[in-house]
Amino acid sequence: MSTLTVAFSDLSKNSKRVAETVEQAQRVHVTRRDGEDLYLTTERHDRQREETADVTSRLLAALIGTDEGARAVLLAMPTVFPWIRHLSAEEVREFVVDLVDATRDAAELDVHSTLHRVIVEWRATARILADPELATQLTGSLQGEDHGEVLAP
């Protein structure tokens, strides 16, 4: 999908033209020199994106709610996330649950950072497990450094 781009200075100088562009394109990328870039979008386009996230999260949740659907999701996971081959079967199941929960957060709470964090953290775990030497170092016991049980946060 190609997104039109305008400079922030164009937005301030030619706001009417930029607004017309947004109405036609539904989404415009606004570049800034002194801050994070922005996106301008129409209300309709934003509502459609929210509906897409909602339908996707509900569909994924419904799928993992049945044995057959859960198997289908588990079979599809390596295509979407090839690095999961380094995770155990139990870790893949945990990842799917975390992914579904984060997808629900994105749709229901408009919190998208959780989904990003879940993917980044599980990918990092897979990266560690892909390196046997590193995995041994990080999962082994610390010699002479027992500080007792670590409580869950």
Side-chain angles (χ1 to χ4, degrees), residues 31-70:
T31 58
R32 296 171 56 200
R33 282 183 262 151
D34 59 349
E36 187 174 0
D37 288 357
L38 307 172
Y39 281 93
L40 291 177
T41 187
T42 62
E43 180 184 6
R44 179 185 46 158
H45 185 68
D46 192 54
R47 266 195 326 271
Q48 290 170 346
R49 289 172 66 95
E50 287 176 0
E51 184 177 7
T52 299
D54 184 52
V55 168
T56 303
S57 74
R58 289 174 186 265
L59 182 60
L60 191 55
L63 278 170
I64 69 161
T66 67
D67 289 342
E68 190 174 297

mmCIF file of all heavy atoms in Angstrom, residues 31-70:
data_model
loop_
_atom_site.group_PDB
_atom_site.id
_atom_site.type_symbol
_atom_site.label_atom_id
_atom_site.label_comp_id
_atom_site.label_asym_id
_atom_site.label_seq_id
_atom_site.Cartn_x
_atom_site.Cartn_y
_atom_site.Cartn_z
ATOM 1 N N THR A 31 5.813 14.321 7.131
ATOM 2 C CA THR A 31 7.187 14.260 7.636
ATOM 3 C C THR A 31 7.511 15.535 8.397
ATOM 4 O O THR A 31 7.073 16.622 8.040
ATOM 5 C CB THR A 31 8.196 14.081 6.484
ATOM 6 O OG1 THR A 31 8.058 15.165 5.560
ATOM 7 C CG2 THR A 31 7.980 12.763 5.767
ATOM 8 N N ARG A 32 8.280 15.361 9.461
ATOM 9 C CA ARG A 32 8.691 16.493 10.299
ATOM 10 C C ARG A 32 10.192 16.423 10.532
ATOM 11 O O ARG A 32 10.744 15.344 10.689
ATOM 12 C CB ARG A 32 7.966 16.437 11.648
ATOM 13 C CG ARG A 32 6.471 16.591 11.509
ATOM 14 C CD ARG A 32 5.735 16.317 12.795
ATOM 15 N NE ARG A 32 6.219 17.152 13.890
ATOM 16 C CZ ARG A 32 6.017 16.857 15.167
ATOM 17 N NH1 ARG A 32 5.359 15.781 15.520
ATOM 18 N NH2 ARG A 32 6.457 17.660 16.110
ATOM 19 N N ARG A 33 10.834 17.585 10.566
ATOM 20 C CA ARG A 33 12.269 17.634 10.853
ATOM 21 C C ARG A 33 12.543 17.629 12.345
ATOM 22 O O ARG A 33 13.572 17.145 12.785
ATOM 23 C CB ARG A 33 12.898 18.886 10.240
ATOM 24 C CG ARG A 33 13.137 18.758 8.765
ATOM 25 C CD ARG A 33 13.821 19.984 8.231
ATOM 26 N NE ARG A 33 12.751 20.814 7.662
ATOM 27 C CZ ARG A 33 12.769 22.107 7.588
ATOM 28 N NH1 ARG A 33 13.789 22.789 8.029
ATOM 29 N NH2 ARG A 33 11.771 22.763 7.058
ATOM 30 N N ASP A 34 11.616 18.167 13.130
ATOM 31 C CA ASP A 34 11.876 18.375 14.553
ATOM 32 C C ASP A 34 11.072 17.454 15.464
ATOM 33 O O ASP A 34 10.936 17.724 16.651
ATOM 34 C CB ASP A 34 11.593 19.831 14.921
ATOM 35 C CG ASP A 34 10.155 20.226 14.626
ATOM 36 O OD1 ASP A 34 9.447 19.459 13.948
ATOM 37 O OD2 ASP A 34 9.736 21.302 15.070
ATOM 38 N N GLY A 35 10.562 16.379 14.922
ATOM 39 C CA GLY A 35 9.793 15.455 15.754
ATOM 40 C C GLY A 35 9.397 14.219 14.968
ATOM 41 O O GLY A 35 9.737 14.073 13.790
ATOM 42 N N GLU A 36 8.696 13.361 15.627
ATOM 43 C CA GLU A 36 8.241 12.125 14.997
ATOM 44 C C GLU A 36 7.245 12.452 13.884
ATOM 45 O O GLU A 36 6.426 13.351 14.006
ATOM 46 C CB GLU A 36 7.573 11.225 16.043
ATOM 47 C CG GLU A 36 7.230 9.854 15.528
ATOM 48 C CD GLU A 36 6.697 8.919 16.612
ATOM 49 O OE1 GLU A 36 6.587 9.339 17.781
ATOM 50 O OE2 GLU A 36 6.403 7.769 16.279
ATOM 51 N N ASP A 37 7.334 11.699 12.784
ATOM 52 C CA ASP A 37 6.406 11.901 11.677
ATOM 53 C C ASP A 37 4.975 11.622 12.135
ATOM 54 O O ASP A 37 4.746 10.933 13.135
ATOM 55 C CB ASP A 37 6.748 10.968 10.511
ATOM 56 C CG ASP A 37 8.016 11.381 9.783
ATOM 57 O OD1 ASP A 37 8.609 12.416 10.143
ATOM 58 O OD2 ASP A 37 8.407 10.670 8.849
ATOM 59 N N LEU A 38 4.028 12.160 11.394
ATOM 60 C CA LEU A 38 2.614 12.022 11.713
ATOM 61 C C LEU A 38 1.885 11.363 10.550
ATOM 62 O O LEU A 38 2.386 11.340 9.425
ATOM 63 C CB LEU A 38 1.984 13.400 11.951
ATOM 64 C CG LEU A 38 2.646 14.312 12.968
ATOM 65 C CD1 LEU A 38 2.001 15.689 12.916
ATOM 66 C CD2 LEU A 38 2.531 13.717 14.357
ATOM 67 N N TYR A 39 0.688 10.871 10.821
ATOM 68 C CA TYR A 39 -0.224 10.420 9.782
ATOM 69 C C TYR A 39 -1.534 11.155 9.960
ATOM 70 O O TYR A 39 -2.051 11.250 11.076
ATOM 71 C CB TYR A 39 -0.466 8.907 9.861
ATOM 72 C CG TYR A 39 0.660 8.106 9.277
ATOM 73 C CD1 TYR A 39 1.700 7.651 10.075
ATOM 74 C CD2 TYR A 39 0.696 7.831 7.919
ATOM 75 C CE1 TYR A 39 2.742 6.937 9.536
ATOM 76 C CE2 TYR A 39 1.749 7.116 7.365
ATOM 77 C CZ TYR A 39 2.760 6.665 8.178
ATOM 78 O OH TYR A 39 3.797 5.974 7.633
ATOM 79 N N LEU A 40 -2.059 11.683 8.875
ATOM 80 C CA LEU A 40 -3.387 12.272 8.868
ATOM 81 C C LEU A 40 -4.300 11.284 8.165
ATOM 82 O O LEU A 40 -3.936 10.710 7.134
ATOM 83 C CB LEU A 40 -3.406 13.598 8.104
ATOM 84 C CG LEU A 40 -2.667 14.759 8.728
ATOM 85 C CD1 LEU A 40 -2.725 15.971 7.797
ATOM 86 C CD2 LEU A 40 -3.263 15.108 10.076
ATOM 87 N N THR A 41 -5.470 11.098 8.730
ATOM 88 C CA THR A 41 -6.399 10.152 8.144
ATOM 89 C C THR A 41 -7.819 10.672 8.281
ATOM 90 O O THR A 41 -8.082 11.549 9.099
ATOM 91 C CB THR A 41 -6.258 8.764 8.822
ATOM 92 O OG1 THR A 41 -7.058 7.822 8.116
ATOM 93 C CG2 THR A 41 -6.669 8.796 10.261
ATOM 94 N N THR A 42 -8.701 10.130 7.494
ATOM 95 C CA THR A 42 -10.106 10.495 7.626
ATOM 96 C C THR A 42 -10.725 9.690 8.761
ATOM 97 O O THR A 42 -10.224 8.616 9.130
ATOM 98 C CB THR A 42 -10.888 10.203 6.332
ATOM 99 O OG1 THR A 42 -10.836 8.802 6.071
ATOM 100 C CG2 THR A 42 -10.330 10.986 5.155
ATOM 101 N N GLU A 43 -11.795 10.198 9.314
ATOM 102 C CA GLU A 43 -12.496 9.485 10.385
ATOM 103 C C GLU A 43 -12.986 8.131 9.885
ATOM 104 O O GLU A 43 -12.873 7.120 10.577
ATOM 105 C CB GLU A 43 -13.665 10.317 10.894
ATOM 106 C CG GLU A 43 -14.435 9.633 12.012
ATOM 107 C CD GLU A 43 -15.652 10.416 12.452
ATOM 108 O OE1 GLU A 43 -15.984 11.431 11.828
ATOM 109 O OE2 GLU A 43 -16.260 9.993 13.438
ATOM 110 N N ARG A 44 -13.525 8.104 8.678
ATOM 111 C CA ARG A 44 -14.039 6.854 8.109
ATOM 112 C C ARG A 44 -12.925 5.811 7.995
ATOM 113 O O ARG A 44 -13.110 4.656 8.365
ATOM 114 C CB ARG A 44 -14.652 7.129 6.736
ATOM 115 C CG ARG A 44 -15.189 5.870 6.049
ATOM 116 C CD ARG A 44 -15.654 6.204 4.674
ATOM 117 N NE ARG A 44 -14.604 7.043 4.071
ATOM 118 C CZ ARG A 44 -14.416 7.213 2.783
ATOM 119 N NH1 ARG A 44 -15.222 6.676 1.935
ATOM 120 N NH2 ARG A 44 -13.437 7.954 2.331
ATOM 121 N N HIS A 45 -11.772 6.237 7.505
ATOM 122 C CA HIS A 45 -10.651 5.300 7.357
ATOM 123 C C HIS A 45 -10.205 4.773 8.726
ATOM 124 O O HIS A 45 -9.933 3.580 8.880
ATOM 125 C CB HIS A 45 -9.483 5.993 6.644
ATOM 126 C CG HIS A 45 -8.339 5.097 6.336
ATOM 127 N ND1 HIS A 45 -8.418 4.075 5.418
ATOM 128 C CD2 HIS A 45 -7.075 5.063 6.837
ATOM 129 C CE1 HIS A 45 -7.256 3.447 5.362
ATOM 130 N NE2 HIS A 45 -6.426 4.033 6.214
ATOM 131 N N ASP A 46 -10.155 5.647 9.717
ATOM 132 C CA ASP A 46 -9.770 5.231 11.061
ATOM 133 C C ASP A 46 -10.781 4.231 11.637
ATOM 134 O O ASP A 46 -10.403 3.230 12.243
ATOM 135 C CB ASP A 46 -9.625 6.448 11.978
ATOM 136 C CG ASP A 46 -8.947 6.094 13.286
ATOM 137 O OD1 ASP A 46 -7.843 5.521 13.248
ATOM 138 O OD2 ASP A 46 -9.538 6.380 14.337
ATOM 139 N N ARG A 47 -12.076 4.497 11.441
ATOM 140 C CA ARG A 47 -13.114 3.560 11.902
ATOM 141 C C ARG A 47 -12.961 2.203 11.221
ATOM 142 O O ARG A 47 -13.114 1.158 11.851
ATOM 143 C CB ARG A 47 -14.512 4.123 11.603
ATOM 144 C CG ARG A 47 -15.136 4.892 12.729
ATOM 145 C CD ARG A 47 -16.638 5.116 12.537
ATOM 146 N NE ARG A 47 -17.082 5.311 11.165
ATOM 147 C CZ ARG A 47 -17.150 6.480 10.530
ATOM 148 N NH1 ARG A 47 -16.813 7.588 11.154
ATOM 149 N NH2 ARG A 47 -17.573 6.544 9.291
ATOM 150 N N GLN A 48 -12.644 2.211 9.922
ATOM 151 C CA GLN A 48 -12.465 0.961 9.191
ATOM 152 C C GLN A 48 -11.252 0.189 9.720
ATOM 153 O O GLN A 48 -11.293 -1.037 9.852
ATOM 154 C CB GLN A 48 -12.314 1.231 7.692
ATOM 155 C CG GLN A 48 -13.602 1.702 7.052
ATOM 156 C CD GLN A 48 -13.396 2.207 5.629
ATOM 157 O OE1 GLN A 48 -12.270 2.459 5.179
ATOM 158 N NE2 GLN A 48 -14.501 2.369 4.912
ATOM 159 N N ARG A 49 -10.190 0.906 10.039
ATOM 160 C CA ARG A 49 -9.000 0.243 10.607
ATOM 161 C C ARG A 49 -9.325 -0.360 11.974
ATOM 162 O O ARG A 49 -8.893 -1.465 12.298
ATOM 163 C CB ARG A 49 -7.832 1.231 10.709
ATOM 164 C CG ARG A 49 -7.246 1.603 9.360
ATOM 165 C CD ARG A 49 -6.231 2.723 9.481
ATOM 166 N NE ARG A 49 -5.054 2.322 10.222
ATOM 167 C CZ ARG A 49 -3.936 1.873 9.672
ATOM 168 N NH1 ARG A 49 -3.832 1.777 8.366
ATOM 169 N NH2 ARG A 49 -2.904 1.555 10.417
ATOM 170 N N GLU A 50 -10.103 0.369 12.777
ATOM 171 C CA GLU A 50 -10.518 -0.166 14.075
ATOM 172 C C GLU A 50 -11.379 -1.413 13.902
ATOM 173 O O GLU A 50 -11.226 -2.394 14.641
ATOM 174 C CB GLU A 50 -11.289 0.895 14.867
ATOM 175 C CG GLU A 50 -10.416 1.997 15.415
ATOM 176 C CD GLU A 50 -11.210 3.088 16.119
ATOM 177 O OE1 GLU A 50 -12.462 2.991 16.191
ATOM 178 O OE2 GLU A 50 -10.577 4.038 16.603
ATOM 179 N N GLU A 51 -12.275 -1.385 12.933
ATOM 180 C CA GLU A 51 -13.123 -2.548 12.678
ATOM 181 C C GLU A 51 -12.287 -3.740 12.208
ATOM 182 O O GLU A 51 -12.533 -4.875 12.620
ATOM 183 C CB GLU A 51 -14.193 -2.216 11.632
ATOM 184 C CG GLU A 51 -15.167 -3.359 11.408
ATOM 185 C CD GLU A 51 -16.261 -3.007 10.418
ATOM 186 O OE1 GLU A 51 -16.222 -1.923 9.791
ATOM 187 O OE2 GLU A 51 -17.174 -3.827 10.276
ATOM 188 N N THR A 52 -11.294 -3.479 11.387
ATOM 189 C CA THR A 52 -10.399 -4.540 10.934
ATOM 190 C C THR A 52 -9.685 -5.188 12.120
ATOM 191 O O THR A 52 -9.619 -6.416 12.233
ATOM 192 C CB THR A 52 -9.353 -3.984 9.941
ATOM 193 O OG1 THR A 52 -10.035 -3.465 8.811
ATOM 194 C CG2 THR A 52 -8.376 -5.049 9.503
ATOM 195 N N ALA A 53 -9.156 -4.364 13.025
ATOM 196 C CA ALA A 53 -8.480 -4.890 14.214
ATOM 197 C C ALA A 53 -9.451 -5.678 15.085
ATOM 198 O O ALA A 53 -9.115 -6.753 15.601
ATOM 199 C CB ALA A 53 -7.849 -3.751 15.017
ATOM 200 N N ASP A 54 -10.670 -5.177 15.240
ATOM 201 C CA ASP A 54 -11.670 -5.851 16.061
ATOM 202 C C ASP A 54 -12.037 -7.209 15.477
ATOM 203 O O ASP A 54 -12.060 -8.218 16.190
ATOM 204 C CB ASP A 54 -12.909 -4.967 16.194
ATOM 205 C CG ASP A 54 -13.949 -5.582 17.109
ATOM 206 O OD1 ASP A 54 -13.596 -5.951 18.251
ATOM 207 O OD2 ASP A 54 -15.114 -5.708 16.673
ATOM 208 N N VAL A 55 -12.317 -7.255 14.184
ATOM 209 C CA VAL A 55 -12.687 -8.515 13.535
ATOM 210 C C VAL A 55 -11.530 -9.511 13.614
ATOM 211 O O VAL A 55 -11.722 -10.692 13.921
ATOM 212 C CB VAL A 55 -13.106 -8.267 12.067
ATOM 213 C CG1 VAL A 55 -13.211 -9.572 11.292
ATOM 214 C CG2 VAL A 55 -14.423 -7.509 12.020
ATOM 215 N N THR A 56 -10.317 -9.027 13.378
ATOM 216 C CA THR A 56 -9.145 -9.900 13.427
ATOM 217 C C THR A 56 -8.949 -10.489 14.819
ATOM 218 O O THR A 56 -8.709 -11.691 14.964
ATOM 219 C CB THR A 56 -7.884 -9.122 12.992
ATOM 220 O OG1 THR A 56 -8.095 -8.601 11.684
ATOM 221 C CG2 THR A 56 -6.656 -10.000 13.012
ATOM 222 N N SER A 57 -9.069 -9.656 15.848
ATOM 223 C CA SER A 57 -8.864 -10.157 17.210
ATOM 224 C C SER A 57 -9.956 -11.152 17.595
ATOM 225 O O SER A 57 -9.685 -12.177 18.215
ATOM 226 C CB SER A 57 -8.795 -9.013 18.219
ATOM 227 O OG SER A 57 -10.057 -8.448 18.455
ATOM 228 N N ARG A 58 -11.202 -10.863 17.217
ATOM 229 C CA ARG A 58 -12.299 -11.781 17.535
ATOM 230 C C ARG A 58 -12.153 -13.105 16.793
ATOM 231 O O ARG A 58 -12.417 -14.174 17.353
ATOM 232 C CB ARG A 58 -13.640 -11.141 17.202
ATOM 233 C CG ARG A 58 -14.019 -10.017 18.141
ATOM 234 C CD ARG A 58 -15.296 -9.332 17.634
ATOM 235 N NE ARG A 58 -15.625 -8.179 18.400
ATOM 236 C CZ ARG A 58 -16.485 -8.179 19.420
ATOM 237 N NH1 ARG A 58 -17.102 -9.282 19.752
ATOM 238 N NH2 ARG A 58 -16.726 -7.067 20.075
ATOM 239 N N LEU A 59 -11.751 -13.033 15.540
ATOM 240 C CA LEU A 59 -11.561 -14.241 14.744
ATOM 241 C C LEU A 59 -10.448 -15.110 15.325
ATOM 242 O O LEU A 59 -10.611 -16.326 15.494
ATOM 243 C CB LEU A 59 -11.247 -13.870 13.296
ATOM 244 C CG LEU A 59 -11.054 -15.012 12.312
ATOM 245 C CD1 LEU A 59 -12.306 -15.880 12.225
ATOM 246 C CD2 LEU A 59 -10.717 -14.460 10.931
ATOM 247 N N LEU A 60 -9.346 -14.489 15.667
ATOM 248 C CA LEU A 60 -8.226 -15.227 16.250
ATOM 249 C C LEU A 60 -8.620 -15.843 17.584
ATOM 250 O O LEU A 60 -8.327 -17.020 17.849
ATOM 251 C CB LEU A 60 -7.021 -14.292 16.416
ATOM 252 C CG LEU A 60 -5.688 -14.902 16.767
ATOM 253 C CD1 LEU A 60 -5.288 -15.991 15.778
ATOM 254 C CD2 LEU A 60 -4.619 -13.822 16.810
ATOM 255 N N ALA A 61 -9.316 -15.089 18.421
ATOM 256 C CA ALA A 61 -9.769 -15.613 19.712
ATOM 257 C C ALA A 61 -10.739 -16.772 19.517
ATOM 258 O O ALA A 61 -10.668 -17.787 20.230
ATOM 259 C CB ALA A 61 -10.413 -14.507 20.537
ATOM 260 N N ALA A 62 -11.646 -16.644 18.551
ATOM 261 C CA ALA A 62 -12.599 -17.726 18.292
ATOM 262 C C ALA A 62 -11.889 -18.970 17.779
ATOM 263 O O ALA A 62 -12.236 -20.093 18.166
ATOM 264 C CB ALA A 62 -13.654 -17.268 17.287
ATOM 265 N N LEU A 63 -10.898 -18.770 16.940
ATOM 266 C CA LEU A 63 -10.165 -19.914 16.407
ATOM 267 C C LEU A 63 -9.461 -20.704 17.506
ATOM 268 O O LEU A 63 -9.540 -21.931 17.533
ATOM 269 C CB LEU A 63 -9.136 -19.466 15.366
ATOM 270 C CG LEU A 63 -9.668 -19.218 13.965
ATOM 271 C CD1 LEU A 63 -8.598 -18.553 13.102
ATOM 272 C CD2 LEU A 63 -10.121 -20.521 13.329
ATOM 273 N N ILE A 64 -8.778 -19.996 18.401
ATOM 274 C CA ILE A 64 -8.049 -20.750 19.425
ATOM 275 C C ILE A 64 -8.985 -21.299 20.496
ATOM 276 O O ILE A 64 -8.568 -22.068 21.344
ATOM 277 C CB ILE A 64 -6.896 -19.950 20.060
ATOM 278 C CG1 ILE A 64 -7.405 -18.804 20.916
ATOM 279 C CG2 ILE A 64 -5.908 -19.487 19.026
ATOM 280 C CD1 ILE A 64 -6.364 -18.308 21.885
ATOM 281 N N GLY A 65 -10.263 -20.933 20.419
ATOM 282 C CA GLY A 65 -11.250 -21.443 21.369
ATOM 283 C C GLY A 65 -11.730 -22.844 21.058
ATOM 284 O O GLY A 65 -12.443 -23.441 21.866
ATOM 285 N N THR A 66 -11.357 -23.369 19.895
ATOM 286 C CA THR A 66 -11.730 -24.741 19.541
ATOM 287 C C THR A 66 -10.467 -25.532 19.241
ATOM 288 O O THR A 66 -9.455 -24.960 18.817
ATOM 289 C CB THR A 66 -12.640 -24.778 18.291
ATOM 290 O OG1 THR A 66 -11.880 -24.336 17.154
ATOM 291 C CG2 THR A 66 -13.872 -23.902 18.471
ATOM 292 N N ASP A 67 -10.518 -26.827 19.451
ATOM 293 C CA ASP A 67 -9.341 -27.667 19.185
ATOM 294 C C ASP A 67 -8.916 -27.581 17.722
ATOM 295 O O ASP A 67 -7.738 -27.420 17.416
ATOM 296 C CB ASP A 67 -9.619 -29.132 19.551
ATOM 297 C CG ASP A 67 -9.706 -29.349 21.050
ATOM 298 O OD1 ASP A 67 -9.235 -28.482 21.817
ATOM 299 O OD2 ASP A 67 -10.257 -30.396 21.460
ATOM 300 N N GLU A 68 -9.886 -27.668 16.827
ATOM 301 C CA GLU A 68 -9.582 -27.631 15.404
ATOM 302 C C GLU A 68 -9.005 -26.271 15.001
ATOM 303 O O GLU A 68 -8.033 -26.188 14.252
ATOM 304 C CB GLU A 68 -10.856 -27.921 14.602
ATOM 305 C CG GLU A 68 -10.608 -28.143 13.129
ATOM 306 C CD GLU A 68 -11.883 -28.568 12.425
ATOM 307 O OE1 GLU A 68 -12.423 -29.639 12.750
ATOM 308 O OE2 GLU A 68 -12.335 -27.790 11.553
ATOM 309 N N GLY A 69 -9.600 -25.212 15.508
ATOM 310 C CA GLY A 69 -9.111 -23.868 15.211
ATOM 311 C C GLY A 69 -7.732 -23.630 15.790
ATOM 312 O O GLY A 69 -6.868 -23.027 15.139
ATOM 313 N N ALA A 70 -7.519 -24.091 17.018
ATOM 314 C CA ALA A 70 -6.209 -23.935 17.652
ATOM 315 C C ALA A 70 -5.137 -24.663 16.846
ATOM 316 O O ALA A 70 -4.031 -24.136 16.652
ATOM 317 C CB ALA A 70 -6.248 -24.446 19.086
#
